[in-house]
Amino acid sequence: MVRIDRLLEQESVRHVINVPNTDGVTALHLTVENRRYYWAKALLEAKADPNLRTRLCPPITPLEGVLLQQRDHENLPVLRLLLEHKAQTHTAAETSPLYLAVRGGLFASAQALLTAKASVYGTNLSQPPLLHVVVATTNSHTLDLDQALLHHHADVHATHQGKSVLETAVDIYWRRSSVL
């Protein structure tokens, strides 16, 4: 088994740590995709850039790659590691890391992103605001998450398709109660 820490001690390896393949994928992208915490830690300590985007469609950072895997608690250590090493939570991308977490039902990841000061304001106006997404996803974790979003100043007046968060919540409640 290769000891990554020994490998990274070599200047020739450290020099190319952020060099991507033809798809723009770096060693860090591959490492976090495979949930290799200690390898990711070693790469980040050797100055791997956690904010490099791939050339894939859509281009993603290692942080976004972790969130797209849809494994909340399994990926939490790697996600926190990326955040500790300054992975950007505010991106100009169409979908923010926090939105990916909330939309994917990754509530522990969303809480970690909020703790890291991720913006509760989305960049894509065609997507519903985060509070709307949380209200539409009712389970035991959403109450904590909507309170966390409100604590981080999510816009309670934001509308989506002409409806406020409260109107969306009432609509969902009535639709679900009429099914029963």
Side-chain angles (χ1 to χ4, degrees):
M1 182 161 136
V2 175
R3 296 262 330 237
I4 192 158
D5 51 345
R6 287 194 185 146
L7 186 62
L8 291 172
E9 288 173 0
Q10 298 176 25
E11 187 61 35
S12 61
V13 173
R14 291 177 72 103
H15 181 69
V16 296
I17 200 166
N18 288 313
V19 174
N21 67 14
T22 56
D23 291 328
V25 177
T26 65
L28 185 59
H29 284 97
L30 294 172
T31 301
V32 299
E33 180 181 311
N34 290 294
R35 294 180 311 284
R36 302 284 186 207
Y37 176 86
Y38 294 104
W39 282 53
K41 183 176 181 181
L43 286 166
L44 288 163
E45 287 173 356
K47 306 294 185 231
D49 187 344
N51 298 306
L52 290 178
R53 292 191 166 280
T54 63
R55 291 185 198 102
L56 302 171
C57 188
I60 59 170
T61 64
L63 178 62
E64 293 161 342
V66 167
L67 295 168
L68 289 169
Q69 289 182 16
Q70 301 288 309
R71 294 183 175 115
D72 200 20
H73 293 285
E74 216 173 307
N75 283 343
L76 204 51
V78 172
L79 179 123
R80 286 187 175 134
L81 180 67
L82 289 166
L83 292 171
E84 287 169 18
H85 285 83
K86 310 292 186 234
Q88 294 175 355
T89 58
H90 311 292
T91 65
E94 191 168 309
T95 304
S96 73
L98 182 57
Y99 191 89
L100 287 173
V102 170
R103 187 71 177 194
L106 309 174
F107 300 112
S109 296
Q111 291 281 8
L113 287 162
L114 286 168
T115 300
K117 309 269 188 266
S119 174
V120 295
Y121 302 103
T123 56
N124 185 343
L125 298 178
S126 67
Q127 295 173 335
L130 287 171
L131 277 175
H132 285 258
V133 176
V134 172
V135 165
T137 312
T138 54
N139 66 40
S140 60
H141 301 288
T142 56
L143 184 58
D144 291 337
L145 187 55
D146 63 10
Q147 289 176 0
L149 287 170
L150 291 170
H151 177 74
H152 287 83
H153 310 289
D155 186 0
V156 295
H157 302 291
T159 60
H160 181 66
Q161 297 176 339
K163 293 184 181 179
S164 70
V165 172
L166 183 57
E167 291 170 316
T168 300
V170 169
D171 282 354
I172 290 167
Y173 172 79
W174 284 112
R175 266 190 266 136
R176 289 185 179 150
S177 64
S178 68
V179 171
L180 301 174

